[in-house]
Amino acid sequence: MSGEKVLRLGLSGVIGAAFLPVRAQARAFYNFQTPVTPIARDVLFIHDLFLVIIAILFAAGIGLLLYTVYAHSRRRHRTAATFTQPVGRKQWLWASTPFVALLIIDYVVLGIPALHSIWALADTRGAEMTVQVTAHQWHWQYQYPAYGIGFSSDLSTPARQIDDRAPKDKHFLLEVNHPLVLPTHEKVLLVLASSDVIHAFWVPAFGVKQDVVPGYLRQTWVEIDKPGVYRGQCAELCGVGHAFMPIVVQAVPPAQFQHWVAAERAREAAVQATASATYSEAQLILRGRQIFQSNCAACHQSNGLGLPGAFPPIAAGHPFAASAPMLAALRARGFYRHGLIVEGPVPNHIRIVLHGIPGTPMPSFAAQLSAADIAAVITYERNDFGNHTGDVIEPATVAALKDGH
Amino acid sequence: MNAVTEPHRPYYIPNPSPYPVVLSGALFLLGLGAALRVNALTAGWWVLGAGALLAVYVLFAWFGRVIGESRAGVYGLQEDRAFRWGMLWFITSEVVFFASLFGVLFYERNIAVPWLASFNAPHSALAPFSPWPHFTAQWPNGGPAGQGFEVVNPWGIPALNTLLLLSSGVTVTWAHAGLRAGRRTQLKAGLALTIALGVTFLGFQLHEFSEAYRVLGLTLHSGVYGATFFILTGFHGLHVTIGAIMLAAMLARTWRGDFTPENHFAFEAVTWYWHFVDVVWLMLFVFVYWL
Amino acid sequence: MSAANLSSEQSHAQHHDAPPRGITRWLYATNHKDIGVMYLVFGVLMFFVGGLLAELIRSELLTPTMRVLTPEAYNQVITIHGLVMVFAAVMPITTGFANYLIPLMIGAPDMALPRLNNWGFWLLPAAAVLLVLPWGLKLIGIGTGTIDTGWTMYAPLSIQAGPGADFAFVAVLLLGLSSTMASINILVTVAQQRAPGMSWLRLPVFVWSWVITALLLIAVFPALMAGCIMQITDRHFGTHFFSASGGGDPVLWEHIFWFFGHPEVYILLLPTAGLLPHILATFARKPLYGYKAQVYSFCAIGVMSIVVWAHHMFTSGMPTDVNIYFMLSTMAISVPVAVLFFCWFGTIWRGSMTFETPMLFALGYIVLFGIGGLTGLVLSDAAADQQYHNTYFLVAHFHYALFGGPIMGIFAALYYYLPKMTGRMYSEILGRWHFWLTLAAFNLVFMPQFLLGIAGMPRRIPDYALQFAPLNMVSSIGAFALGATQLLFLYNILRTAFGTSGAVASARVWEGSSGLEFTLPSPPPFHTFATPPAID
């Protein structure tokens, strides 16, 4: 390890010298985010090493090129040489040195730290805690099996900022309503799954990027050594909302983490209680608007018009063309008549939100939204966007359908 | 290395020809029709039909043209060699095609299915999270969400089919020997026998598919087993069909008096293709039906 | 279309040396030069189509929330940009050079299978139309536009996609057929049609590069075609090749795609890597350095490129040993590629160089592709790739490799052979402006993207966080400049091909040129080498 330290010190010197003028803002502007896990530090070390090596190789190459262009132009070198290959043992020896050097760079200088890091990354043993991460189109869901808590984490940037109708805040597109909270100095195993297509979990400060594959599990681990908020994004194209499913991790000291767990448990219990509560229409619509903006607006749009051809409108009286399974599903549920979206029966509406429409991008929200939230969003949808059904859905109705299925 | 054996004979360069561009047009229609059809647009059938008709017509005209040129004696040794190499490379690309399908079978059977089951391993840290808690790795496998099905018994129709195709390999070689020795009756008999064996094979294969669907419950929907089974046997069957059609064309040409003991590239090309189809079947029998 | 009288046509063919008139000259072409020219024209046209799509992408990315395209349209545009540039621009152009040049370089009267040659070409426009047709259909209310999954078409996003995906998969099948036919033809031609004395180890390097390219195409394209068929059956016929619920695996598609896709990188690269030494030797007035080393390197690259594909999938969750194998094997490819660089340097070293436009582009190739190659070395590291993968670092890397390599090479080769093909010199001044502006603008576009990737910007997003804004604006401005610069190129080639202002080109065109193609007049007659030339 000490050898590595010396190397690292030397490297930062070289890099510092090479990029002296911009060194001041280097970390913030064009370098990796400051690493906070052992893996991220390894990767940054490799990256810095690479940078130096390819800078040297490039400088050597371009130096030779510029020299020969200068010295062997017709003006300075009237008769061209005629050699076509190395001659004699000495020349062959010289000619082969670059390749020997390249092999050493590949397999020794870079290969050894790479192998070290790959093995470290694969070593998921001895985790003190496990978090299940599930990717959905287009948000993340986190579950803590040891504590019986879990929640989904949605983009919290308001649509108005994305539409350029409001000034953007500092963490535009990298902020969520409910960050993943992890304790520092504990090895945390992340078990990753996907409910629909391939996504990728990526937090640059952790040095971890892991694709999640529907129907399969993936695992990786982090051990964060500094409290703070770390932001990342989905790194595999997963449809139209790919840019809008950030990952925000809040790392807190273990003691504080236990406090958070207790608070979170209490909050979830309160949410459970809402399932049997009754609310006024105004309360439901108010809550429903928030739920809609953070869960539904990515596809159905905040104005409820959807995206013609891809995502059906919620708004009244708008014709719709879509894939055959989507149209069939809508027709079967009474939502689609004469080419227009109409208000179908309430139980069907609830079922669609609870279970999604298989074969289409419409996901299941049963695991992510509470009964009260689903009641709220459906009430909102049926009484806004030009719809005037007057239906008020009680959380208990949703809870009954949820359990009955 | 490529000594030109006929120094005064320039390589035959055909005149401008309408067939290639029209065949491209036909394939465009076929592609467009297929893309429309799978998306439930009725126009797809019409476009597909038009493309198919056009393709058949052009193939007849193009091959007719080449046969005419061959009979007129415009092809020398060099052209003949070019055709041979062309056919060999084409078969090579077909070999890669089937090799990839076998690669898919290998991946699904030896990597994907065990991987899916590995989450349930008794000591796996992932067991509590397994998306398929009751899934075990075995082959045949319809996948964790699949319906049950039975598989085709390899020692029934498939074994018989192996026998049929292997004998057809012998009969086509016998026909070739007849051609080379100038015994045209043997040539015709051999060809006819080969076609008959091929058609019988196809008939059995169709019967097997229908049994699979009606009795065994083995369909395209039967998870990876059904998918790999039908894509491999289906594409092989398609190639046998094409081979049989080409053999029939050879028989027709023989009847017309084409082919001499020295000059019969088309016939040889078809036999190569037929042997290729044979070998693919042997692999199929071993890896799809038997093991 | 009926078979006309054979004997009269035959005599026509043997005795006539002028091209037929009118549109049928092109539609019905059997002449390798005409077909080569069609490939080149089609490829250049598609280069501008793909470039236009690139400008749309960069317009959308000019500011964090620019709304030139909806997120849905953005995904379609990036997908078609990739597919068009790879399959409809670069591959046709290099195939065009193969068709035009290989018979001239080996002293053959034409390609071995002329009608097959024309079929291979005409499948391309058919495929290109199928690819973009869904946009047209959308205008009349059918479907949702083109495929929007990225050119990698990863399942199950591709299974979820609209009808445009079917059009794309069918188009890839046609493209595969086209490439297979072209490759068969090239292999047969090189094996068969060489003039007496043109032994295998006397073949020009370009011909060798295409032999390896054609072998690669035959070895990998059928796999992608099989994969596309499986995508279609998964989408519409209920199979589960790429779906876990039936025991399949989405990652299997990644394997199939990259089993094709990695060799594809070399398929794009090798032909121009084969043309480069010709150009360098001409303007250095020196013989080629390390002929055999280059040929063997091509062979080694060809073989190795087939066994390293999964380095595109280091983050997909493959077992550790598999990752390590693919990392170590990928690193090995750096050796034969370095041999090529070494030979290019050896060819110009102690030459007597002049810097006409083709030479400038050739030297630019060495520099830009060098950056692409060096950053490729970085990406081969399975650990560090955790950070680079699917970021703008990767985007910058493969644009340095594929614009810096093939496209710079294509520019070099077009300027180099344009006087041979048209009989007139292009405008040297415009050519040099084109080079220097391209070099500057290209770096302006893609150098910031390395930094963006390192700073953490993922690829394929239409809106991005605020810290990425300044560099994205620089990159977009660079892209507009790069696009505008290509108009110079267009003007220059059109002026050379159709104008009369350019100086008349001699047979040899360049002072230092060598090779059979430069023994013919410029432009070469319609039929050449009907009797094979003597090779000493």
Side-chain angles (χ1 to χ4, degrees), chain C residues 70 114 196 202 225 261 422 425 449 463 498 519:
Chain C
T70 61
R202 282 176 147 184
M225 293 166 79
T422 63
M425 300 303 288
Q449 295 188 3
D463 293 348
F498 298 111
T519 62

Side-chain angles (χ1 to χ4, degrees), chain A residues 47 74 77 84 106-107 209 235, chain C residues 290 328 334 351 353 388-390:
Chain A
H47 171 72
R74 179 136 73 156
H77 200 245
T84 57
D106 275 350
Y107 292 107
K209 186 181 280 137
Chain C
L328 297 180
S334 65
M353 275 184 271
Y388 304 128
H389 182 69
N390 269 358

Side-chain angles (χ1 to χ4, degrees), chain A residues 30 47 72 74 77 81 83-84 106-107 114 137 164 168 202 204 209-211 216 218 235-236 242 309-310, chain C residues 65 72 144 160 248 286 290 315-316 328 331 334 350-353 377 381 386-390 454 460 511:
Chain A
Y30 72 85
H47 171 72
H72 306 143
R74 179 136 73 156
H77 200 245
F83 59 86
T84 57
D106 275 350
Y107 292 107
Q137 283 172 319
D164 248 349
K168 302 179 195 356
W202 180 36
K209 186 181 280 137
Q210 179 58 59
D211 292 9
Y216 285 76
R218 294 290 190 268
E236 184 61 66
H242 170 51
Chain C
T65 50
E72 193 193 22
T144 54
Q160 219 181 51
K286 253 189 75 191
T315 66
S316 73
L328 297 180
M331 286 174 165
S334 65
R350 291 181 52 214
S352 181
M353 275 184 271
L377 199 66
D381 187 305
Q386 298 279 327
Q387 265 331 21
Y388 304 128
H389 182 69
N390 269 358
I454 290 171
R460 294 170 168 169
E511 186 192 318

Side-chain angles (χ1 to χ4, degrees), chain B residues 29-267:
Chain B
L29 291 178
L30 281 172
L32 177 64
L36 292 172
R37 178 56 216 119
V38 291
N39 287 291
L41 289 154
T42 339
W45 282 126
W46 296 101
V47 181
L48 261 179
L53 282 178
L54 194 58
V56 169
Y57 172 69
V58 181
L59 284 175
F60 261 97
W62 190 344
F63 278 114
R65 173 74 198 226
V66 174
I67 293 164
E69 286 171 357
S70 169
R71 286 155 71 101
V74 302
Y75 297 143
L77 264 182
Q78 216 186 340
E79 287 85 353
D80 190 61
R81 268 205 306 262
F83 287 147
R84 278 161 200 279
W85 277 109
M87 187 67 193
L88 280 178
W89 285 119
F90 175 69
I91 291 181
T92 309
S93 76
E94 291 267 50
V95 169
V96 176
F97 181 83
F98 274 100
S100 353
L101 293 182
F102 278 107
V104 167
L105 174 64
F106 173 82
Y107 186 95
E108 305 285 26
R109 179 172 176 171
N110 293 312
I111 297 176
V113 167
W115 197 347
L116 278 171
S118 73
F119 305 133
N120 302 331
H123 304 294
S124 164
L126 297 176
F129 306 98
S130 172
W132 320 105
H134 308 295
F135 184 65
T136 50
Q138 69 211 4
W139 194 261
N141 198 309
Q147 309 276 323
F149 57 86
E150 288 173 69
V151 300
V152 177
N153 173 15
W155 303 110
I157 290 179
L160 190 60
N161 265 344
T162 311
L163 216 61
L164 287 177
L165 270 198
L166 284 183
S167 353
S168 79
V170 175
T171 54
V172 82
T173 309
W174 184 62
H176 192 192
L179 173 53
R180 282 221 284 228
R183 294 192 295 268
R184 298 194 60 95
T185 322
Q186 181 182 335
L187 167 63
K188 285 176 199 164
L191 266 176
L193 212 55
T194 313
I195 296 167
L197 287 168
V199 171
T200 318
F201 170 91
L202 283 172
F204 276 139
Q205 201 68 346
L206 281 179
H207 172 74
E208 179 191 294
F209 284 176
S210 110
E211 286 283 291
Y213 260 79
R214 288 184 300 110
V215 183
L216 304 175
L218 174 64
T219 69
L220 272 174
H221 305 254
S222 305
V224 277
Y225 185 87
T228 50
F229 175 83
F230 280 106
I231 202 159
L232 273 159
T233 54
F235 268 100
H236 177 262
L238 184 70
H239 281 73
V240 175
T241 312
I242 295 170
I245 292 172
M246 295 198 303
L247 282 170
M250 293 308 111
L251 186 58
R253 286 187 64 188
T254 311
W255 234 280
R256 209 170 61 170
D258 281 3
F259 305 134
T260 61
E262 299 79 33
N263 191 356
H264 50 262
F265 161 71
F267 179 87

